Amino acid sequence: MFVRLKLRMTANNFRGQPWRVALFMMGVFFGLWWAAGGFLLFAVPGLAGSEKAALLAAGFGGGALTLGWVLFPLVFFGVDETLDPARFALLPLRRRTLVAGMLAAALLGIPALATLASTAGLVLSAGALGGWTAAVTQAVGVAAGLLLCVAASRALTSAFATMLRSRRMRDLAAIALAVLAALLGPLQIGLITAAETADWDRLVGPARVVGWTPLAAAYTLGFDLAAGRGWAVPLKLAITLAATAALLWWWSWSLESAMVGGTPTAAGPRKAARGGAVDQLVPRGMRWMARNRYAALVARETRYWWRDVRRRAGLITVLVVGVFLPVMINIAGNARSPGTVSISMIFVGTLAAVTLANQFGYDGTAYGANVVAGVPGRLELRARVAAFTVYAGPLLVIVAVAMSLLLGEPTWVGLLLGTLAAAYGAGLAANLFVSILAAYALPETSNPFTINTGAGVVRSLLSLVSMLGSAAAAVPMLVAAALLGDAPAWLWLAGPIGAGYGLGATALGVYLAGDLLDRRMPELLASVTPRR
Amino acid sequence: MESALAARGLVKRFETVVAVAGIDLDVPAGSFYGLLGPNGAGKTTTLSMAVGLLRPDAGRVWVLGHDVWSDPSEAKALLGVLPDGVRLFDRLTGAELLAYHGLLRGMDPAVIDQRARELLDVLALASAGRTLVVDYSAGMKKKIGLACALLHAPRLLVLDEPFEAVDPVSAALIRDILQRYVAGGGTVIFSSHVMEVVERLCSHVAILADGAIKRVGTLDEVRGGRSLEDVFVEVVGGRTATGEELAWL
């Protein structure tokens, strides 16, 4: 029943919307791609006859897979809430039926199928090492592992959703997750460097340990059998099933509270407001501005970058990545030339600018207020750029100064600043267009991790496009750096030239995109309005 | 008499569904105009097109003689809008939100301060202090939205479901304010599916169903001696229970 309902809802989603079908197909494509990659990774060690490598792949690969199932929905993609538990609250369903049904429906998605396909590689691997009994055991393990993955991800997101009913909690959690997500990148780079230097044999031990945790127990079954440790199989299976059962119990428990709903009303601070309404709107540091439309827009945007969690999460990402990435590239690497430094600076500046790629999506339907008030496009964009730069500007300066000190080349600070400013300015110009032409709606639900199925693909595509566009716009700086190298004149000239280039690009972007915005305001509003 | 709001041949199609199928509307200046219709009749779509939030597929709209789509700045300056199901910039406090709207409308800061204080007092929102609008109750959100629409003293107020999810006390307050606004020479057009409110407030009524206007005129013309509810149900084509079906109830 639940499975049919889910299929029907997915199908209805496509009706009359070719682009949704296209997105779905892209999702399928990426799913297949991942599945194929995973399959190879898992199957090759077994086929090559290397027991150690197989254990490594199963232990760490399987563990990472399970962890990924737990973390990714929280951090990046959101859960596929095609079936929202709250909708079943009024139906006379037993909890057990509901959990079983929802689980079955959850198994029927691209991620679940891709996981199954890739872990099927383990079956092949185990079969090659230990004959068909090992293969069959491993097949059971793969199925159990998939159940565990799905149960874990659903249980965790559902528990989070209930825990995060109150807005304040939700805001805090979202920020914590943003920090975590931002740290994933640097962590990954660290791991890769470690992997390159580490002695593989020493890792077999930890892989064995991981294989005994619920994370990867299911994925190492077949190899134990192949290695003659048949006694481990029922134990590991029991571990997996017990973990799954515990998670399902947890899920069903939190499902109940999710269905009952009930928002605890957060008693907000009722401090008396001081001063007139206009003085309250304009942040303290901006009191010198004339009180006009521009000030109102800048003030609101400045407050929003801080008060809207999604925006603050974006800022945090820029901060963490902006600091870590250049450090990783330039300190860890040996080559310290103005060229490589410039590239990393361009990346940071671009990344900062890309934060604005869906700036209107953050506003959602609230943007209607500006449409009704008839705010001119250029004014709107100029204010948005200015407000964001209030946060991004100092950040970029800090990055430049910190980098030049860390590199032990204080004279490079001008070059770094100039490159950053050029990349940031050019990126802003590119992203203004992206934000108008390719805005998409963010959901307005109680679950902060929900995004509509398919929107995840749009989001990654959009970031990619705006990244490329921004980077392309910053190419002249790179060319200059490559041609002139560390000629002293260039070190000093790069600062002003880069700043000028960035400013000019932004001004041109605002000028042209403002016109575009004037013509497309209602269309833009429609594209950031969530479908109900 | 000049129309405060005039629409000719408004059409809007969403994919395959025709939401609004050619609407003509004349809202006389100084009138209290009720736009009635069942859910999904096209009320919100019509009003959104009238205020420049949604581009019509065909047709034109004038606010006090200014074309909303070809002369938006003039038309929009005369408009105050309270949309339904649309978020406000809700990460601001009530006072900040009012200041934002006031400055966007190009008002003098001193006037904004004074009017914001009055509006917050009258609408009983001053006690909310530094609470963000996102944490307001549904009724408070409607009230702050109305305050934003009123702040720049527009000549025409367009309100989408102003009484939805509002408690009786706040509703009485909103009615009071709107009546005073009309008495002062303003024009109000609002959508609703609550007969009592429309019957009590409106001088003119239009009944909308399936994206087209079925009845239009002054309240008495439309009623024709019957209760508005009877006319509405008849026009919309709803059925009245005969007592035959649902006998098991």
Side-chain angles (χ1 to χ4, degrees):
Chain A
M1 199 276 283
F2 282 89
V3 172
R4 281 226 312 276
L5 184 60
K6 163 130 185 189
L7 285 178
R8 158 75 38 201
M9 283 175 81
T10 314
N12 281 355
N13 232 350
F14 294 145
R15 202 184 285 165
Q17 308 220 322
W19 65 273
R20 275 186 190 237
V21 181
L23 283 176
F24 183 77
M25 292 315 292
M26 272 180 78
V28 172
F29 174 74
F30 279 117
L32 279 176
W33 196 54
W34 277 107
F39 186 84
L40 281 180
L41 176 74
F42 285 134
V44 164
L47 293 177
S50 160
E51 209 171 296
K52 271 182 189 159
L55 191 63
L56 275 178
F60 286 130
L65 202 64
T66 316
L67 266 184
W69 265 91
V70 172
L71 288 180
F72 271 61
L74 290 184
V75 180
F76 293 114
F77 301 128
V79 207
D80 179 4
E81 289 270 329
T82 316
L83 297 183
D84 180 4
R87 302 219 175 125
F88 298 105
L90 291 176
L91 298 179
L93 283 175
R94 276 183 309 146
R95 217 184 340 169
R96 187 182 287 266
T97 332
L98 185 63
V99 169
M102 302 266 303
L103 190 65
L107 281 172
L108 207 80
I110 297 172
L113 294 179
T115 306
L116 192 63
S118 68
T119 47
L122 284 171
V123 178
L124 206 64
S125 188
L129 284 173
W132 66 270
T133 42
V136 169
T137 330
Q138 190 54 54
V140 175
V142 163
L146 180 66
L147 268 182
L148 178 77
C149 283
V150 175
S153 87
R154 302 319 301 256
L156 215 77
T157 44
S158 164
F160 261 104
T162 23
M163 212 165 74
L164 303 174
R165 273 282 153 70
S166 93
R167 191 178 59 82
R168 211 159 277 276
M169 274 299 286
R170 209 158 59 217
D171 290 4
L172 279 177
I175 288 166
L177 280 172
V179 175
L180 194 74
L183 280 172
L184 274 183
L187 216 68
Q188 205 181 8
I189 296 176
L191 275 180
I192 290 171
T193 352
E196 276 165 0
T197 54
D199 179 5
W200 281 106
D201 285 341
R202 261 192 294 161
L203 287 174
V204 175
R208 282 224 169 81
V209 176
V210 174
W212 277 102
T213 63
L215 286 180
Y219 298 117
T220 49
L221 281 179
F223 302 104
D224 279 322
L225 196 69
R229 291 187 299 271
W231 51 270
V233 172
L235 268 178
K236 285 193 171 180
L237 211 53
I239 289 175
T240 309
L241 290 180
T244 313
L247 284 168
L248 282 180
W249 177 82
W250 187 29
W251 186 26
S252 78
W253 175 79
S254 58
L255 256 188
E256 186 147 290
S257 37
M259 284 197 302
V260 176
T263 314
T265 41
R270 300 215 157 190
K271 276 179 280 173
R274 278 188 310 274
V278 178
D279 280 340
Q280 288 176 46
L281 176 67
V282 181
R284 203 161 291 147
M286 298 183 179
R287 291 283 147 82
W288 48 270
M289 284 171 71
R291 305 295 155 82
N292 52 21
R293 281 179 165 201
Y294 179 65
L297 287 163
V298 175
R300 201 213 81 240
E301 279 287 305
T302 319
R303 293 223 180 268
Y304 256 63
W305 278 108
W306 188 250
R307 285 188 193 164
D308 186 342
V309 193
R310 290 182 291 208
R311 294 196 190 205
R312 215 191 312 179
L315 281 180
I316 290 172
T317 313
V318 174
L319 174 69
V320 175
V321 178
V323 172
F324 270 81
L325 202 96
V327 174
M328 297 299 286
I329 291 180
N330 294 303
I331 305 296
N334 306 320
R336 288 184 192 176
S337 74
T340 52
V341 177
S342 293
I343 290 177
S344 67
M345 288 298 113
I346 283 177
F347 182 78
V348 173
T350 312
L351 184 80
V354 166
T355 313
L356 285 186
N358 194 25
Q359 52 174 343
F360 293 100
Y362 290 130
D363 291 345
T365 48
Y367 175 63
N370 293 9
V371 179
V372 166
V375 180
R378 282 174 198 157
L379 189 72
E380 171 100 47
L381 294 177
R382 194 155 56 90
R384 282 172 186 266
V385 165
F388 182 60
T389 307
V390 167
Y391 294 97
L395 199 97
L396 296 180
V397 173
I398 290 172
V399 168
V401 173
M403 276 310 295
S404 64
L405 291 180
L406 270 173
L407 287 169
E409 302 270 7
T411 47
W412 285 13
V413 74
L415 169 71
L416 298 186
L417 264 179
T419 317
L420 273 177
Y424 177 64
L428 282 181
N431 278 292
L432 288 179
F433 286 98
V434 173
S435 72
I436 295 169
L437 293 174
Y440 56 95
L442 298 166
E444 296 172 358
T445 65
S446 62
N447 184 341
F449 306 118
T450 328
I451 56 167
N452 309 322
T453 323
V457 183
V458 187
R459 187 152 71 160
S460 9
L461 255 186
L462 187 61
S463 326
L464 194 70
V465 167
S466 47
M467 258 333 236
L468 284 178
S470 317
V475 157
M477 263 325 253
L478 197 63
V479 172
L483 286 181
L484 300 167
D486 48 2
W490 172 241
L491 285 183
W492 288 112
L493 276 178
I497 289 179
Y501 181 75
L503 260 176
T506 309
L508 188 67
V510 167
Y511 184 79
L512 293 177
D515 253 8
L516 184 68
L517 181 58
D518 278 334
R519 272 176 278 136
R520 289 185 49 92
M521 265 196 245
E523 285 74 17
L524 177 59
L525 179 63
S527 62
V528 295
T529 304
R531 292 169 58 87
R532 270 170 291 171
Chain B
M1 188 167 54
E2 192 188 28
S3 293
L5 179 73
R8 289 289 171 272
L10 280 182
V11 176
K12 186 70 196 178
R13 231 172 265 112
F14 290 116
E15 286 149 25
T16 51
V17 188
V18 179
V20 171
I23 280 186
D24 297 330
L25 208 61
D26 281 290
V27 180
S31 66
F32 208 131
Y33 204 101
L35 192 61
L36 273 170
N39 297 325
K43 295 180 302 239
T44 299
T45 310
T46 305
L47 293 182
S48 300
M49 288 192 288
V51 300
L53 284 173
L54 184 67
R55 198 185 298 279
D57 293 336
R60 296 179 70 185
V61 185
W62 295 265
V63 172
L64 291 160
H66 299 281
D67 191 306
V68 172
W69 290 98
S70 64
D71 181 17
S73 55
E74 287 295 321
K76 284 174 176 176
L78 300 165
L79 265 177
V81 182
L82 171 66
D84 179 48
V86 162
R87 276 182 8 198
L88 299 157
F89 278 109
D90 52 16
R91 303 271 163 159
L92 301 176
T93 68
E96 287 168 359
L97 187 63
L98 283 173
Y100 177 66
H101 276 264
L103 289 175
L104 272 199
R105 297 292 192 168
M107 292 169 63
D108 178 54
V111 179
I112 297 174
D113 281 345
Q114 188 217 335
R115 287 192 190 168
R117 199 163 45 242
E118 272 182 47
L119 279 168
L120 290 174
D121 277 339
V122 172
L123 289 167
L125 292 170
S127 61
R130 305 278 306 151
T131 310
L132 298 187
V133 173
V134 66
D135 292 329
Y136 278 16
S137 68
M140 290 165 80
K141 279 181 190 159
K142 275 276 190 247
K143 286 198 281 184
I144 194 72
L146 182 67
C148 291
L150 283 169
L151 187 70
H152 64 292
R155 302 310 307 138
L156 171 67
L157 263 185
V158 179
L159 314 173
D160 196 3
E161 302 282 0
F163 299 101
E164 188 107 315
V166 175
D167 65 88
V169 180
S170 304
L173 186 64
I174 293 177
R175 275 205 307 272
D176 206 41
I177 292 174
L178 293 183
Q179 275 170 333
R180 211 180 322 160
Y181 171 77
V182 173
T187 310
V188 173
I189 174 168
F190 75 100
S191 69
S192 181
H193 48 239
V194 187
M195 300 302 140
E196 296 77 49
V197 177
V198 175
E199 216 157 8
R200 186 138 88 190
L201 286 177
C202 293
S203 59
H204 293 68
V205 176
I207 297 181
L208 197 63
D210 302 324
I213 290 186
K214 303 291 182 186
R215 294 286 162 84
V216 62
T218 63
L219 181 63
D220 290 328
E221 281 170 15
V222 170
R223 270 196 301 206
R226 292 188 290 165
S227 86
L228 189 56
E229 185 165 353
D230 286 345
V231 177
F232 180 77
V233 171
E234 180 199 304
V235 167
V236 171
R239 51 190 297 169
T240 38
T242 58
E244 284 293 316
E245 57 279 87
L246 301 185
W248 46 271
L249 270 176

